[in-house]
Every structure is written in structure tokens, then in C-alpha cells.
Amino acid sequence: MAKAKKLPRGSWRVLVYTVTDASGKRKYESFTAETKSEAEDNNKYGV
């Protein structure tokens, strides 16, 4: 499971690694939520 980090404004963000492109760069998806558990549990990748 990806760990959530608290943002300065009080919400929580999870950064999820999704894919590596053809040039070798990693691509990430970001999810924000009001609570830590929402951010960690409610992303479309289930990570």
C-alpha cells in the first residue's frame, strides 16, 4: 500500500507508481483526500 503524506493545507496525498514509459522514465498518479485513510484506500490502482 502506498503511504499518504500530509499536505500543508491539511489534506492527504498518495503518489502511486503506474508505469515506465519507453524512455525509462517512471510515471506516477497522484490522489488527494480529506483523510489519510481515504487517500490510501480510495485510489483507482488499489495500491
Side-chain angles (χ1 to χ4, degrees), residues 2-19:
K3 291 199 172 195
K5 292 191 177 186
K6 193 164 188 173
L7 299 173
R9 65 176 190 219
S11 60
W12 293 82
R13 177 176 53 205
V14 174
L15 202 58
V16 180
Y17 168 73
T18 56
V19 69

